[in-house]
Amino acid sequence: MISPEVKEQFKAIVGDKWVLDRPAELYAYSYDATPMYQALPDAVVLPASTREVSGILQLADTHRIPVIPRGSGTNLAASAIPVHGGIVLNLNRMNQIHEIDTRNLTATVGPGVVTASLHQAVETLGLFYPPDPGSMRISTIGGNVSQGAGGMRGLKYGVTKDYVMGLEYVLPSGDILRCGGKNVKDVAGYDMTRLLVGSEGTLAVITEITLKLLPLPDTKRTLVAFYRNLVDAAKTVEAIIAAKIIPATIEFMDQGTMKVVDEFARLGLPLEMKSMLLIEQDGPAEVVDRDIERIAQMAKANGAAGVEVAGSPEEGAKLLTARRAALSALSRLKPTTILEDATVPRSRLADMVEEVERIADRYGLQICTFGHAGDGNLHPTCMTDERNREEIERVERAFEEIFHAAIRLGGTITGEHGVGLAKKDFLHLKVGESGLELMRRIKAAFDPNGILNPGKMFAASKRRRWVVKR
């Protein structure tokens, strides 16, 4: 609990209006987009500046109060759950685009800027910020950076970490530091920028972000290919990359996902097919036209039962929007939807999908799979009901097997969602016990009193999905 006196000190820093502690307000911050995790904070504090963040952290560190940084709460690793109480530090008031530098091709923004808003702002200037997580119309840049977010354009353009050039951040001591900047080359000391990206609020609070921008592509075209099996779809992906064609997007949907998305978006998909690829290419018009034609030929040569090229940019955008709606569509089937995130090398894509299907059958579960086929990042998604404890236990065992399968195939337990609470018991599978110990030592160097997002990333006890509401 936070004493009334300390709450008054928080109010003195940010103003009475920006410290929330009524039960209804706290409840809204007791969960994020990850199902089945919930815990109440003691208060919510909404700073408007780096100086305010510094004051809040210094006060919290003095009184050993946990601090959980938060953006829009769209993360899928339970990283924003205040499992030890304390304060949720909501950074959404820090939502200014400070600068779009057209000479250096950078944007400098506050952590509360919504990702899609940045897209719109830079595109009006003929520039391009490629990272496009599925939650981009809601998620914030600060959250994207903290969770190491990916997106559909990751194959060609990379993910959030590839665009972060510099950061301003605050330590629990209240010290305000900077790393990186607008320099394209900078190897002065340890790369603190890379370390903080994906650190999930466990090391510092990020208060300003400098991002790399690109020229906006001239044009784009979209193609869909349908398959009677999973292997031919995977072979097509391999063939495209082997031909040295790097599309902006190669998305995969299995039959179960296709059926639900078609019902949701009314696309008229051939639902007898086992899988589909949704491929977009962008760039100069002549290059795009050539690549789309070659991709269509390769899809047919590798067993595609049907190939269709979108007749207009609007039709292509509709297909991509439908793919982005996959999670929303699946969420309508049952009360609880658990979306996971396993990544394997592209060459093992079909093997991984088949593993997911076998595991789902073994445990009698409905698991649909979609994802970013171009970079091997799959999202096996289970529709269930958290009130059914017996089924939830089967779900837990199934996903544990899926993570082990991903590691066995040369992959990882998470490609873009992060570790948080949801996967902390599996992190050792990827980094080993010595790697975990090194990470704990880094955490202690940044946060000696352990106030920043405690309980995340590092397992302390037997895996447990349920978090009892305080």
Side-chain angles (χ1 to χ4, degrees):
M1 295 293 292
I2 302 173
S3 70
E5 293 78 16
V6 173
K7 280 187 183 178
E8 288 302 315
Q9 292 179 65
F10 283 128
K11 290 178 181 179
I13 295 171
V14 298
D16 291 3
K17 179 181 177 181
W18 304 112
V19 176
L20 313 178
D21 59 3
R22 292 183 299 179
E25 295 169 329
L26 298 181
Y27 183 82
Y29 289 90
S30 68
Y31 57 88
D32 57 24
T34 321
M36 301 194 307
Y37 293 95
Q38 188 171 24
L40 284 169
D42 296 304
V44 179
V45 183
L46 295 90
S49 69
T50 301
R51 285 291 170 192
E52 290 183 1
V53 171
S54 174
I56 292 163
L57 288 180
Q58 190 172 27
L59 180 60
D61 199 45
T62 298
H63 293 278
R64 306 296 192 267
I65 298 169
V67 177
I68 300 86
R70 180 183 173 111
S72 296
T74 60
N75 90 88
L76 292 162
S79 295
I81 307 298
V83 288
H84 296 292
I87 64 170
V88 168
L89 188 69
N90 186 312
L91 298 165
N92 286 353
R93 290 180 68 204
M94 300 175 68
N95 60 358
Q96 295 80 26
I97 297 177
H98 300 298
E99 178 191 51
I100 299 175
D101 184 342
T102 57
R103 293 180 300 172
N104 288 302
L105 298 186
T106 63
T108 301
V109 304
V113 171
V114 172
T115 312
S117 297
L118 177 63
H119 287 166
Q120 294 167 3
V122 301
E123 286 174 17
T124 60
L125 300 174
L127 298 174
F128 185 38
Y129 176 66
D132 61 336
S135 57
M136 65 182 186
R137 297 190 184 282
I138 308 168
S139 65
T140 60
I141 295 293
N144 295 171
V145 171
S146 293
Q147 294 299 121
M152 290 168 55
R153 296 193 285 240
L155 168 63
K156 182 174 184 177
Y157 291 105
V159 295
T160 300
K161 69 180 180 182
D162 300 308
Y163 291 85
V164 180
M165 297 181 68
L167 299 169
E168 177 187 73
Y169 61 100
V170 185
L171 297 177
S173 61
D175 291 337
I176 300 170
L177 302 174
R178 285 186 174 271
C179 56
K182 294 183 181 181
N183 296 306
V184 174
K185 295 180 179 179
D186 185 352
V187 293
Y190 294 136
D191 192 343
M192 305 301 286
T193 306
R194 282 280 181 149
L195 178 59
L196 290 172
V197 175
S199 61
E200 302 186 25
T202 62
L203 301 180
V205 175
I206 295 168
T207 53
E208 187 179 276
I209 303 145
T210 298
L211 299 164
K212 177 175 69 176
L213 303 176
L214 300 177
L216 185 67
D218 294 341
T219 189
K220 53 189 173 184
R221 294 185 69 187
T222 306
L223 171 152
V224 288
F226 304 100
Y227 298 85
R228 295 187 178 91
N229 59 58
L230 304 172
V231 174
D232 288 346
K235 285 181 178 178
T236 300
V237 176
E238 292 178 34
I240 292 168
I241 304 303
K244 300 181 177 60
I245 300 174
I246 307 297
T249 295
I250 306 181
E251 293 295 298
F252 168 86
M253 285 194 282
D254 69 2
Q255 186 179 43
T257 309
M258 287 170 61
K259 289 179 178 178
V260 177
V261 168
D262 192 67
E263 181 182 347
F264 182 75
R266 306 294 181 189
L267 297 174
L269 299 177
L271 301 181
E272 72 279 7
M273 295 295 163
K274 284 289 187 180
S275 63
M276 67 174 280
L277 294 177
L278 174 62
I279 302 171
E280 182 180 79
Q281 182 61 301
D282 62 9
E286 63 275 14
V287 174
V288 171
D289 291 344
R290 181 195 66 202
D291 285 351
I292 288 292
E293 182 177 344
R294 292 179 64 197
I295 290 169
Q297 292 170 353
M298 281 183 276
K300 293 172 184 175
N302 283 278
V307 177
E308 300 174 11
V309 178
S312 66
E314 292 75 23
E315 186 180 339
K318 182 180 179 181
L319 287 167
L320 288 166
T321 300
R323 160 58 186 88
R324 291 187 189 280
L327 177 58
S328 300
L330 291 168
S331 297
R332 304 194 309 167
L333 298 182
K334 287 191 177 181
T336 306
T337 303
I338 301 174
L339 171 69
E340 282 294 3
D341 166 43
T343 301
V344 294
R346 282 188 291 260
S347 61
R348 307 308 300 270
L349 186 69
D351 296 332
M352 189 65 209
V353 175
E354 289 176 344
E355 281 285 338
V356 172
E357 289 189 336
R358 281 195 291 268
I359 292 167
D361 288 343
R362 183 180 306 134
Y363 289 99
L365 299 170
Q366 183 181 13
I367 299 180
C368 295
T369 302
F370 62 94
H372 316 305
D375 48 31
N377 185 203
L378 293 174
H379 297 308
T381 304
C382 184
M383 283 63 69
T384 183
D385 187 338
E386 66 186 61
R387 296 167 295 187
N388 184 339
R389 281 302 306 160
E390 185 275 331
E391 183 170 273
I392 289 297
E393 288 173 3
R394 283 187 281 123
V395 172
E396 291 188 352
R397 292 197 299 272
F399 277 118
E400 185 167 356
E401 287 197 26
I402 286 171
F403 298 143
H404 278 272
I407 295 294
R408 190 170 61 252
L409 293 170
T412 182
I413 62 169
T414 176
E416 58 185 7
H417 291 174
V419 176
L421 281 175
K423 293 184 181 175
K424 66 178 185 176
D425 294 294
F426 303 111
L427 184 57
H428 71 282
L429 297 177
K430 179 61 180 174
V431 305
E433 295 299 335
S434 296
L436 278 176
E437 179 55 30
L438 179 59
M439 290 181 184
R440 289 189 183 99
R441 288 158 59 190
I442 293 170
K443 163 74 170 170
F446 275 79
D447 181 19
N449 294 319
I451 69 163
L452 281 179
N453 215 1
K456 312 296 167 55
M457 197 148 342
F458 306 114
S461 60
K462 185 179 178 183
R463 183 172 190 248
R464 184 181 68 171
R465 273 190 175 273
W466 291 82
V467 177
V468 179
K469 188 181 353 179
R470 298 172 66 252

